[in-house]
């Protein structure tokens, strides 16, 4: 069962998402909050797997709450909710460690698929959209860290393709590999670079001029 917490200052929006998520046999809404400060209390108490976090809220906004949550050693997967497809605040949240973002007017099926994807640890949610987001709000380039030098030539090739937002199947087709092999390579790349997921890989590429 995927435990979900909803954080949004619009009660009607929360009610709609709660009904949608609650209708799924593999999901359970274990808590909700109307602002970031309340969210921290609810999340500490309920220990969800996935948090749907609105960016703009009173008392404490979603960015501040996300930053606080990600200080914990084992934080939940956080998906930012926004009304803008190119939102600088969403870009900052993803830099902090959020697992991606969703538009509030996303199709219900897409929202449910996103929750399952993030919970699985794959966190490929909106990798291509994340790339577009960071192309628009390019962070300041930093020096390439030494651990990037630990990647093999093949891993660097796959890193570059993943950083462009390609899926495992797309990389497999392009590189004449099986999807299982690509998945293994991606896991090794993430481990070597100490990244949580593929969205963070996209961010890493942009931050260090490797895109």
């Amino acid at each position: 069962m995927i435990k979900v917490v909803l954080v949004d200052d619009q009660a009607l929006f929360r009610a709609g998402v709660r009904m949608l998520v609650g209708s799924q046999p593999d999901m359970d809404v274990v808590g909700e909050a109307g602002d970031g400060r309340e969210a921290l209390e609810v999340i500490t108490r309920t220990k969800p797997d996935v948090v749907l976090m609105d960016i703009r809220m009173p008392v404490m906004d979603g960015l501040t709450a996300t930053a606080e949550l990600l200080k914990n050693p084992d934080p939940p997967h956080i998906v930012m909710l926004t009304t803008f497809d190119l939102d600088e605040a969403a870009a900052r949240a993803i830099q902090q460690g959020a697992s991606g973002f969703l538009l509030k007017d996303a199709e219900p099926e897409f929202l449910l698929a996103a929750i399952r994807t993030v919970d699985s640890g794959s966190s490929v949610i909106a990798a291509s959209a994340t790339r577009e987001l960071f192309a628009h709000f390019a962070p300041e380039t930093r020096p390439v860290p030494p651990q990037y030098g630990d990647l093999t030539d093949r891993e660097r090739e796959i890193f570059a393709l993943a950083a462009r937002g390609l899926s495992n199947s797309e990389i497999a087709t392009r590189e004449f590999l099986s999807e299982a092999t690509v998945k293994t390579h991606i896991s090794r790349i993430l481990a070597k670079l100490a990244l949580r997921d593929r969205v963070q890989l996209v961010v890493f590429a942009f931050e260090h001029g490797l895109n």
Side-chain angles (χ1 to χ4, degrees):
M1 187 67 72
I2 303 172
K3 297 189 294 182
V4 180
V5 163
L6 311 175
V7 185
D8 193 286
D9 60 334
Q10 297 178 5
L12 190 59
F13 178 81
R14 291 201 314 270
V17 175
R18 183 174 65 247
M19 287 178 62
L20 174 66
V21 173
S23 70
Q24 302 302 298
D26 60 337
M27 298 183 191
D28 183 27
V29 176
V30 295
E32 55 183 273
D35 63 69
R37 184 173 298 165
E38 183 185 5
L40 295 180
E41 299 171 1
V42 171
I43 291 164
T44 299
R45 185 176 72 251
T46 59
K47 295 180 170 49
D49 302 301
V50 178
V51 176
L52 301 179
M53 177 82 74
D54 189 22
I55 291 179
R56 292 166 178 83
M57 295 180 292
V59 185
M60 178 186 288
D61 63 31
L63 281 178
T64 304
T66 296
E68 287 296 315
L69 288 171
L70 292 173
K71 290 178 182 177
N72 298 328
D74 187 25
H77 295 289
I78 303 170
V79 178
M80 309 307 294
L81 299 172
T82 178
T83 53
F84 309 106
D85 57 353
L86 290 176
D87 191 330
E88 189 171 7
R92 292 204 305 273
I94 292 168
Q95 272 186 287
Q96 290 173 353
S99 295
F101 71 96
L102 276 174
L103 294 179
K104 284 191 170 185
D105 61 357
E107 293 292 328
E109 294 78 12
F110 185 78
L111 184 147
L112 295 172
I115 292 172
R116 293 187 178 100
T117 300
V118 168
D119 179 67
S120 73
S122 299
S123 298
V124 296
I125 171 175
S128 58
T130 301
R131 188 177 188 281
E132 182 182 354
L133 186 71
F134 275 81
H136 198 270
F137 301 109
E140 191 173 320
T141 303
R142 306 174 188 172
V144 178
Q147 59 263 38
Y148 181 75
D150 295 337
L151 300 184
T152 65
D153 289 342
R154 173 57 103 182
E155 286 170 348
R156 290 189 190 196
E157 290 174 11
I158 292 175
F159 171 93
L161 295 173
R164 285 167 51 188
L166 272 67
S167 66
N168 284 356
S169 61
E170 289 169 333
I171 295 173
T173 300
R174 188 181 179 110
E175 295 295 303
F176 305 103
L177 299 169
S178 70
E179 283 193 52
T181 299
V182 173
K183 187 174 181 180
T184 298
H185 280 304
I186 292 290
S187 295
R188 288 175 180 165
I189 291 166
L190 295 177
K192 287 182 178 181
L193 299 180
L195 302 174
R196 286 181 62 190
D197 52 49
R198 291 180 59 149
V199 167
Q200 294 302 303
L201 185 152
V202 173
V203 175
F204 181 94
F206 268 93
E207 286 182 335
H208 301 100
L210 298 168
N211 49 295

